[in-house]
Amino acid sequence: MCGIVGLFAKNAELQSQLGLHLERMLVTMSDRGPDSAGLAIYGTTAAGKTKLTVQSSLPDSEFPKLKNVLEAQFPQATDVQTIETHAVVSVDTEVSDRVVEIIQNEFPRLRIMGRGEAMAIFKEVGSPSEVARRFSIGKMSGTHGIGHTRMATESAVTTRGAHPFSTGPDQCLVHNGSLSNHNNLRRGLRRQGVSFETENDTEVAAAYLSHQINSGNSLGKVLEGALEQLDGFYTFVVGTRTGFGVLRDPIACKPAVLAETDDYVAFGSEYRALVNLPAIDRARVWEPEPATVYFWEH
Amino acid sequence: MGCFDLQQNTLRDLNAALHRQGDLLRVGGKADTQWEVLNPRGSHAVAVGVDGPLQITVCGSVGYYCGGMNQSGEIRIEGSAGPGVGENMMSGSIRVTGDASQYAGATGRGGLLVIEGNASSRCGISSKGIDIVVRGNVGHMSAFMAQSGNLVVLGDAGDALGDSIYEARLFVRGQVKSLGADCIKKEMRDEHLRLLGDLLKAAEVTDVRPEEFTRYGSARELYHFDVDRADAY
């Protein structure tokens, strides 16, 4: 099964409560998949700064070491905020590539979950309520965010196998379904220089979309291309720095509900996920059409 | 009248209370036959397995399988319904004032399902006698392998309408995006106009005439294996 949610807030008041709403939405979807859960939050941006979300299974020893190394090499250019097993490392964009190299070379046990101006990703094994509580998701603000609760069907229940998947700056993806041609697609993408960290099918979809975006295509165009290239069942919710998109495969057996008001656009695997949103009774609520790209941008 | 608030009590209690009324009626006892269900908030399996002539109004949108296996109940959903509304309904009626998600009325054996909005994919899949009337559109693969009963669509139908259909009758007033394997357009004879008129009347649809519809049904070419048609199976 799996449950997915998304919220695109159109005003400042709702943006200040983004985490709270997303947490409630995701917890409501817990019985669609209790194995692992994750959220991507598009929060505040600062000019010239990049956020790296880093995960460690030994946060108490690894993150202070990382902080010392980065502060020694880039005084005033880095800031490390630890939240449970994750750290959001804010760095000057001009040194971000070097910081990534340091993390990869000197801290092989750290995992970079995502990178971008606005996006931070928090995901772990465990139920949505547990994961949301550990990362204090309810206190987070942001312009938009997406979340996922997983019932694993085709690869291991691990932190890396949890969604959202990000393979490009400020780009992430959550998925309900299963892809049948992911091995072939992964081979093709590897030949084009894309690297993978898991055997998970969704990572391949995320990498495919990011690879297409990096080749200069718009997200809308890329999602249309996905309909041709991805074989299998999928309802995707995709986040970019400024936007939020939804795509269902042509068979559309994985459920999806969208709701829109003047204040927000919300996505849920089921209507239940949306019932606590403000003025949901007056929202336009509909089921997204199969093989149709929906996209909203700030 | 019985009133049940799903914010105060559990779904299991609701369905047990509804089943109890059916049991009471069967032994000639006094039962509450009018029910109102408040705050469904997208809950699954609301009023599933009703077995008796109860009138149930659900005030709000529901999740999966509302009214599934309904026998004799008259269920009104004031809102939209998730996947599988009225699945395997035996008799009685269900009315959805909003939209219905995929496989509405799937495998239904009897009764009337009315959807005032749109129904999405696979509406009436594998139906076995149910009558379904949709005021809006139906999605792709509707009436897939439908064996008997009627599907009436006042709007348009999506791709592959009536794929591998047996003897169900399909009436569509709008456009059909494409017909599925072995489903063909058929002549609308007097008996069909009468049948459709009765179905529209039962569904309380008064603003359209049977003459505005086109009938579709089985070409009966897939009933028996024919090696020359292996590609079509």
Side-chain angles (χ1 to χ4, degrees):
Chain A
M1 281 210 295
C2 300
I4 52 185
V5 298
L7 185 61
F8 177 87
K10 298 183 189 174
N11 66 37
E13 192 194 343
L14 202 66
Q15 287 174 4
S16 69
Q17 304 164 347
L18 187 90
L20 184 71
H21 287 297
L22 271 174
E23 176 178 343
R24 278 189 193 161
M25 293 164 77
L26 194 60
V27 168
T28 311
M29 291 292 92
S30 295
D31 46 12
R32 293 191 65 88
D35 296 334
S36 56
L39 294 113
I41 305 277
Y42 290 81
T44 48
T45 55
K49 289 282 186 185
T50 291
K51 289 179 204 173
L52 302 167
T53 313
V54 182
Q55 187 264 356
S56 169
S57 51
L58 298 165
D60 294 342
S61 57
E62 298 263 341
F63 289 150
K65 266 190 242 164
L66 176 69
K67 196 175 161 80
N68 289 341
V69 168
L70 293 181
E71 278 174 0
Q73 294 220 24
F74 309 104
Q76 280 124 42
T78 57
D79 175 48
V80 179
Q81 296 286 337
T82 301
I83 313 173
E84 273 275 327
T85 56
H86 288 42
V88 178
V89 183
S90 179
V91 300
D92 285 356
T93 301
E94 58 194 26
V95 301
S96 62
D97 283 344
R98 282 163 64 203
V99 171
V100 168
E101 267 173 41
I102 289 168
I103 294 172
Q104 285 170 341
N105 296 335
E106 297 180 29
F107 296 89
R109 284 187 298 194
L110 293 187
R111 298 157 176 177
I112 298 175
M113 294 294 192
R115 170 183 184 172
E117 288 175 29
M119 182 186 75
I121 288 182
F122 306 95
K123 60 182 189 182
E124 270 300 350
V125 172
S127 70
S129 58
E130 197 182 319
V131 170
R133 183 187 50 75
R134 286 178 70 182
F135 295 110
S136 304
I137 297 294
K139 292 185 184 140
M140 292 181 186
S141 60
T143 51
H144 53 296
I146 62 182
H148 184 274
T149 179
R150 181 172 186 223
M151 181 173 282
T153 52
E154 58 67 63
S155 62
V157 178
T158 59
T159 305
R160 277 193 195 200
H163 302 216
F165 279 93
S166 176
T167 52
D170 281 316
Q171 293 157 19
C172 73
L173 171 75
V174 292
H175 173 207
N176 178 17
S178 55
L179 299 179
S180 40
N181 65 339
H182 63 102
N183 285 325
N184 202 29
L185 268 175
R186 191 188 288 109
R187 276 193 292 273
L189 287 164
R190 273 193 177 128
R191 275 198 294 274
Q192 295 176 66
V194 179
S195 58
F196 291 87
E197 295 190 333
T198 71
E199 292 303 307
N200 188 285
D201 57 341
T202 308
E203 187 188 14
V204 177
Y208 168 80
L209 297 178
S210 295
H211 185 66
Q212 295 296 314
I213 289 170
N214 294 341
S215 308
N217 297 302
S218 68
L219 183 63
K221 240 313 142 295
V222 167
L223 291 176
E224 278 166 24
L227 285 167
E228 298 290 316
Q229 295 298 319
L230 303 179
D231 186 18
F233 295 121
Y234 51 87
T235 293
F236 290 135
V237 179
V238 182
T240 67
R241 197 179 71 79
T242 53
F244 163 102
V246 173
L247 179 68
R248 301 176 81 197
D249 70 81
I251 304 291
C253 62
K254 296 298 175 187
V257 179
L258 276 164
E260 183 164 19
T261 70
D262 289 343
D263 298 323
Y264 60 82
V265 180
F267 175 94
S269 289
E270 299 174 26
Y271 176 74
R272 276 191 305 158
L274 313 178
V275 293
N276 290 313
L277 288 170
I280 188 67
D281 293 339
R282 295 194 297 278
R284 183 168 90 89
V285 178
W286 77 103
E287 184 170 313
E289 292 284 328
T292 304
V293 174
Y294 294 83
F295 196 68
W296 290 267
E297 262 188 318
H298 282 295
Chain B
M1 183 163 88
C3 183
F4 204 98
D5 187 342
L6 278 171
Q7 288 304 101
Q8 306 290 329
N9 299 95
T10 67
L11 176 74
R12 210 168 265 263
D13 290 339
L14 166 69
N15 287 337
L18 297 176
H19 297 165
R20 200 157 50 241
Q21 309 313 310
D23 293 341
L24 286 169
L25 289 170
R26 268 187 295 286
V27 297
K30 194 168 161 11
D32 274 333
T33 56
Q34 311 263 330
W35 286 80
E36 195 170 57
V37 180
L38 306 177
N39 292 312
R41 292 161 70 83
S43 299
H44 301 167
V46 172
V48 154
V50 169
D51 188 3
L54 312 180
Q55 279 109 46
I56 302 159
T57 301
V58 183
C59 306
S61 294
V62 291
Y64 284 71
Y65 307 123
C66 183
M69 299 179 284
N70 177 40
Q71 189 145 286
S72 309
E74 289 174 31
I75 302 171
R76 178 183 170 84
I77 299 155
E78 293 183 339
S80 291
V85 63
E87 187 172 72
N88 210 64
M89 178 154 78
M90 305 300 285
S91 62
S93 69
I94 298 177
R95 179 177 287 269
V96 182
T97 64
D99 298 329
S101 184
Q102 56 182 325
Y103 48 91
T107 75
R109 291 180 168 267
L112 174 68
L113 170 62
V114 180
I115 296 154
E116 295 185 355
N118 299 313
S120 70
S121 60
R122 295 171 276 274
C123 180
I125 183 173
S126 197
S127 65
K128 298 172 175 68
I130 190 173
D131 294 326
I132 304 176
V133 178
V134 182
R135 277 211 77 108
N137 306 324
V138 296
H140 63 275
M141 297 297 279
S142 287
F144 175 52
M145 294 187 81
Q147 291 158 47
S148 66
N150 301 289
L151 172 64
V152 180
V153 182
L154 274 66
D156 300 333
D159 271 321
L161 176 71
D163 192 284
S164 307
I165 189 172
Y166 292 84
E167 290 302 304
R169 300 179 194 88
L170 315 180
F171 301 98
V172 182
R173 182 160 158 265
Q175 303 295 310
V176 174
K177 197 167 177 198
S178 68
L179 291 172
D182 210 34
C183 184
I184 55 168
K185 196 181 211 181
K186 291 191 161 184
E187 177 195 5
M188 189 78 116
R189 296 194 296 269
D190 285 347
E191 71 212 70
H192 304 117
L193 291 170
R194 277 197 299 280
L195 169 71
L196 182 53
D198 290 345
L199 288 165
L200 292 170
K201 197 172 164 193
E204 296 168 13
V205 174
T206 54
D207 52 343
V208 298
R209 293 176 303 114
E211 291 77 10
E212 296 170 32
F213 289 77
T214 304
R215 181 168 73 105
Y216 302 89
S218 177
R220 304 188 177 102
E221 298 285 327
L222 292 178
Y223 274 33
H224 306 289
F225 183 73
D226 179 344
V227 73
D228 293 332
R229 275 198 277 276
D231 286 350
Y233 295 119

